[in-house]
C-alpha cells in the first residue's frame, strides 16, 4: 500500500536534491578489495539475519522490537567482536541529538501539549481527512512519528465512525493514511534519526532540512490527503 507513495517521494526527492545541490562530479569510482569471510564474519552475518528474522516475525514469538535489538548487542560484546574501543568510538553527539528529539516529544506527551494540539482539530469540517493528515505531519516533525500516530489514529477512527458513510473500510483508510503521513515528517534534524545522523556529520544546516525536508513533507502530505483514500481503497478491495 505504501509503495506508490514511497516511489513518488523518492523520485521527487532525487529531482529536488539533484537540482538544488548540484555537483561537478560526473563519475564516481569506489575501489574495493575482495576479502573472504572468516568465522567471526560469518557469525556476524548469522546474528544479523537472525535479528532481522525476529523483527519480521514478532507476531509469532511476541518479543518486542527493543528486546530483539539486544540480541546482537549481547552476542557481539560477549564474543568481543565489539570491545571498549568500538564503544568509545561511537558518535555520541548523534545519539544526543536523537535523544533530544525523543525528549522533546516525551515532554509534549507528559505536559499534555500534544493532546491540546489534537483537540484543536475540527471534527465537523468537510476537510477533516486532510486536516488529520496535515496535523499528523506537523506533529511528527517535533516528536516521535510512532507517538504522533498513536495519538491521532484513534481520533481519525472515531471521526470515520461518525461519518454518515462510515464503514470498516473507511476506518482502515483513515488509520493507514495517518500512519503513512506520520512517516513523511522530515523538516527538522530531530524529525527522524536519519536526518539527525546527516546533520551531525556536518556540512548541513537546519535551514537545509527545512527547505528540502519541508518540501518533500508537503508533497507527501498533498499526495496522501488528495489521493490516499483512493489508493488505499484500491488495494484494500484486492486484498
Amino acid at each position: 500500500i505504501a509503495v506508490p507513495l514511497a516511489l513518488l517521494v523518492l523520485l521527487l526527492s532525487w529531482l529536488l536534491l539533484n537540482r538544488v545541490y548540484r555537483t561537478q562530479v560526473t563519475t564516481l569510482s569506489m575501489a574495493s578489495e575482495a576479502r573472504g569471510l572468516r568465522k567471526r564474519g560469518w557469525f556476524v552475518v548469522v546474528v544479523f539475519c537472525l535479528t532481522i528474522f525476529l523483527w519480521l516475525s514478532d507476531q509469532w514469538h511476541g518479543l518486542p522490537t527493543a528486546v530483539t535489538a539486544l540480541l546482537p548487542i549481547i552476542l557481539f560484546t560477549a564474543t568481543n567482536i565489539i570491545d571498549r574501543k568500538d564503544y568509545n568510538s561511537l558518535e555520541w553527539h548523534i545519539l544526543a541529538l536523537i535523544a533530544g528529539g525523543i525528549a522533546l516529544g516525551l515532554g509534549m506527551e507528559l505536559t499534555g501539549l500534544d493532546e491540546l494540539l489534537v483537540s484543536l482539530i475540527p471534527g465537523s469540517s468537510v476537510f477533516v481527512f486532510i486536516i488529520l493528515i496535515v496535523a499528523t505531519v506537523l506533529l511528527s516533525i517535533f516528536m516521535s512519528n510512532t507517538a504522533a500516530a498513536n495519538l491521532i489514529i484513534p481520533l481519525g477512527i472515531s471521526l470515520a465512525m461518525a461519518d454518515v458513510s462510515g464503514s470498516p473500510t473507511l476506518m482502515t483508510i483513515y488509520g493507514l493514511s495517518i500512519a503513512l503521513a506520520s512517516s513523511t515528517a522530515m523538516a527538522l534534524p530531530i524529525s527522524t534519526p536519519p536526518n539527525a545522523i546527516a546533520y551531525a556529520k556536518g556540512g548541513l544546516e537546519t535551514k537545509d532540512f527545512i527547505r528540502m525536508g519541508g518540501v518533500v513533507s508537503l508533497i507527501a502530505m498533498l499526495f496522501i490527503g488528495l489521493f490516499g483514500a483512493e489508493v488505499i481503497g484500491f488495494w484494500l478491495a484486492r486484498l
Side-chain angles (χ1 to χ4, degrees):
I1 291 176
V3 167
L5 174 66
L7 292 178
L8 175 68
V9 173
L10 180 62
L11 175 61
L12 292 175
S13 300
W14 178 80
L15 291 173
L16 284 171
L17 293 172
N18 191 49
R19 183 177 181 84
V20 177
Y21 300 98
R22 291 187 178 276
T23 178
Q24 302 301 321
V25 178
T26 57
T27 59
L28 182 63
S29 177
M30 300 180 64
S32 61
E33 179 184 354
R35 299 171 58 185
L37 283 176
R38 296 177 296 174
K39 291 182 178 179
R40 286 163 60 91
W42 283 112
F43 178 74
V44 172
V45 171
V46 171
V47 173
F48 173 81
C49 294
L50 179 60
T51 303
I52 298 298
F53 173 77
L54 291 176
W55 272 333
L56 296 176
S57 58
D58 58 341
Q59 67 272 21
W60 298 332
H61 53 70
L63 289 177
T65 302
V67 174
T68 301
L70 287 174
L71 176 65
I73 296 175
I74 295 173
L75 293 179
F76 291 158
T77 53
T79 56
N80 209 32
I81 290 178
I82 294 178
D83 54 21
R84 181 179 298 177
K85 180 181 178 182
D86 298 311
Y87 178 82
N88 292 332
S89 67
L90 288 174
E91 299 186 12
W92 291 102
H93 57 292
I94 297 179
L95 297 178
L97 184 61
I98 296 174
I102 296 175
L104 176 62
L106 185 59
M108 293 176 65
E109 292 182 63
L110 293 177
T111 58
L113 176 59
D114 53 353
E115 296 182 0
L116 174 64
L117 295 175
V118 171
S119 67
L120 299 177
I121 299 176
S124 58
S125 173
V126 294
F127 303 105
V128 64
F129 178 75
I130 296 179
I131 293 174
L132 286 172
I133 299 302
V134 174
T136 301
V137 174
L138 293 178
L139 199 59
S140 298
I141 291 176
F142 300 99
M143 63 186 299
S144 163
N145 55 1
T146 304
N150 286 336
L151 184 67
I152 301 182
I153 283 178
L155 175 61
I157 293 177
S158 298
L159 294 176
M161 293 175 61
D163 192 279
V164 176
S165 58
S167 66
T169 301
L170 185 62
M171 289 186 287
T172 303
I173 289 174
Y174 270 56
L176 286 175
S177 298
I178 293 170
L180 291 175
S182 68
S183 298
T184 62
M186 54 192 75
L188 289 176
I190 62 171
S191 298
T192 177
N195 278 18
I197 294 173
Y199 177 79
K201 286 294 183 180
L204 293 172
E205 300 179 6
T206 301
K207 64 180 181 180
D208 295 310
F209 292 93
I210 296 175
R211 181 169 56 168
M212 291 292 96
V215 171
V216 173
S217 295
L218 177 61
I219 293 172
M221 192 189 321
L222 291 174
F223 183 79
I224 297 173
L226 297 177
F227 308 108
E230 287 73 14
V231 174
I232 294 174
F234 171 83
W235 288 112
L236 288 178
R238 284 156 180 78
L239 291 178

